[in-house]
Amino acid sequence: MFSQFQRGIDTAASGSAGPRFAPHLRSGLLAAALFSAAAQFAVAAPAAQAVNSQGLAVTDTSVKVGILHSSTGTMSISETGSIQAEKLAIDQINQAGGVLGRKIEYVQEDGASDWPTFAEKARKLLVSDKVAAIFGGWTSASRKAMLPVLEQYNGMLYYPTFYEGLEQSPNVIYTGQEATQQIISGIDWVVKNKQAKTFYLLGSDYIWPRTANKIARHHIEKLGLKVIGEEYYPLGNTQFNSVINKIKLKKPDVIYAIVVGGSNVAFYKQLKAAGIDMSKEKPLLLTISVTEDEIRGIGGENIAGAYASMKYFQSLDNPANKAFVAAFKQRYGDDMVIGDVTQAAWLGPWLWKAAVEKAGSFDIDKVRAASPGIEIKEAPQGYARIHENHHLWSKTVIGRARTDGQYDVIYQTPELIEPNPFPKD
């Protein structure tokens, strides 16, 4: 139940001081009723000086956080859902009594799909606004731009996007998947279940797609299979006819696509116009970048039949997810959709709240120390727990796109995959 999720934020370590709540409320209640009922469990508010020794924007009644995503530019198609999800989580937490008895206030900034702007806005949030946490980023380029600022000013970022791994910062909680949880498991599935032998790798031209495809190529070749093409295009590119012609000529078993942002609209429409019918799987298309959020722009009819490897789809069948989807739609409209990154963004404020209340402080160093072991037993994705390396345990889920813009869940790994951002091979 959604109520069980809200009250089931806990810590894995025995005897730790994280919040523990009774998990029994009737399933199907609207979010407002759930959080009203949960308010009685709110943690009492200690004085500001007792929970804030770092000069953060914390008063006796409020705490300030930052939301930093691209609300404009080519990445807004992907990041708008994250903004919505973080605001929803903040409102729900406030309805439940806040964090250490304080209501969350947020300062929203626009990264504008420009990596230096992300660094500039992160500095503003930490130095001028003195926020206690930042929820933000989508591309690895935006995260890499923010990272030195976070480490210089000792800020904490909750980063929601699946990414290439090869990073572990004390100043970041990675609520998306890293490569071993998404890329390797997805390739293993398509090889085993679709007998794929040849791959054409395609991506947008920046850190994540290039590094992810290096990992994918290594794994494909390790399996004794072949990469027969690999190409990259600038963010915002809208001309894919040349590479589509090459794909038709080379006839790979799999198009492995890591196109991001608004470029997806042009890419999938041009694939369909070129006569590539993804429902026939010749070639099969497997993406690790197109969530339900992007399909809103692409159009379900242009991508139906494609496969995606993620950890979350809106169609996941569990009570916590059904209630989460209902709350999201109640706030933003019945036509809204929820993708993997949107759900991971929503987890961020909840994980931060649990770490703050376990630490009994908003101080960044104390929140960092309290974070490993924080778990959400009934999250929309099923289960979430922060590893010592600041990533989350998660399953790999394979979905197949439908004409209505949703994914049918085809496969889930039976067990949670331990995050491993630095695989030895």
Side-chain angles (χ1 to χ4, degrees), residues 132 156 158 352 355-356 359 361-372:
M156 184 66 78
Y158 287 76
W352 172 71
V356 168
S361 173
F362 293 99
D363 289 354
I364 303 299
D365 293 339
K366 293 178 181 178
V367 171
R368 177 187 302 118
S371 292

Side-chain angles (χ1 to χ4, degrees), residues 292 308 310-316 321 338 397-399 407 409:
E292 294 88 335
M310 308 278 175
K311 71 175 183 304
Y312 171 87
F313 294 105
Q314 183 178 313
S315 57
L316 279 176
N321 187 48
I338 304 168
V397 186
I398 304 296
Y407 282 95
V409 174

Side-chain angles (χ1 to χ4, degrees), residues 9-168:
I9 298 176
D10 206 342
T11 56
S14 60
S16 56
R20 296 175 183 269
F21 305 122
H24 304 296
L25 278 182
R26 185 165 52 87
S27 179
L29 293 175
L30 295 176
L34 287 171
F35 285 96
S36 175
Q40 63 181 299
F41 296 99
V43 176
Q49 62 267 27
V51 296
N52 175 26
S53 67
Q54 294 183 269
L56 301 171
V58 178
T59 71
D60 287 342
T61 59
S62 69
V63 55
K64 192 175 291 183
V65 301
I67 293 176
L68 177 50
H69 291 284
S70 297
S71 55
T72 60
T74 189
M75 291 308 303
S76 62
I77 188 176
S78 300
E79 296 190 61
T80 296
S82 297
I83 298 169
Q84 293 171 326
E86 287 155 3
K87 289 181 178 180
L88 175 63
I90 288 169
D91 284 353
Q92 291 172 330
I93 291 169
N94 283 342
Q95 289 174 38
V99 183
L100 288 182
R102 290 161 172 81
K103 295 298 178 71
I104 305 172
E105 299 175 354
Y106 62 82
V107 179
Q108 183 179 343
E109 296 290 348
D110 181 11
S113 306
D114 177 70
W115 323 140
T117 299
F118 270 92
E120 173 193 338
K121 297 298 185 181
R123 184 175 290 105
K124 183 257 186 188
L125 288 169
L126 294 175
V127 176
S128 299
D129 298 307
K130 301 186 182 303
V131 299
I134 296 175
F135 306 99
W138 201 102
T139 65
S140 286
S142 68
R143 188 191 70 256
K144 292 290 189 184
M146 290 187 282
L147 195 57
V149 178
L150 293 160
E151 294 180 346
Q152 178 181 358
Y153 297 104
N154 196 27
M156 184 66 78
L157 172 70
Y158 287 76
Y159 174 72
T161 316
F162 32 69
Y163 86 114
E164 69 279 357
L166 308 180
E167 182 179 296
Q168 179 181 331

Side-chain angles (χ1 to χ4, degrees), residues 174-195:
Y174 306 83
T175 64
Q177 290 178 302
E178 47 77 24
T180 65
Q181 296 171 308
Q182 183 187 27
I183 298 170
I184 292 174
S185 293
I187 290 172
D188 286 344
W189 176 85
V190 79
V191 170
K192 178 180 179 181
N193 292 278
K194 300 296 181 179
Q195 292 74 52

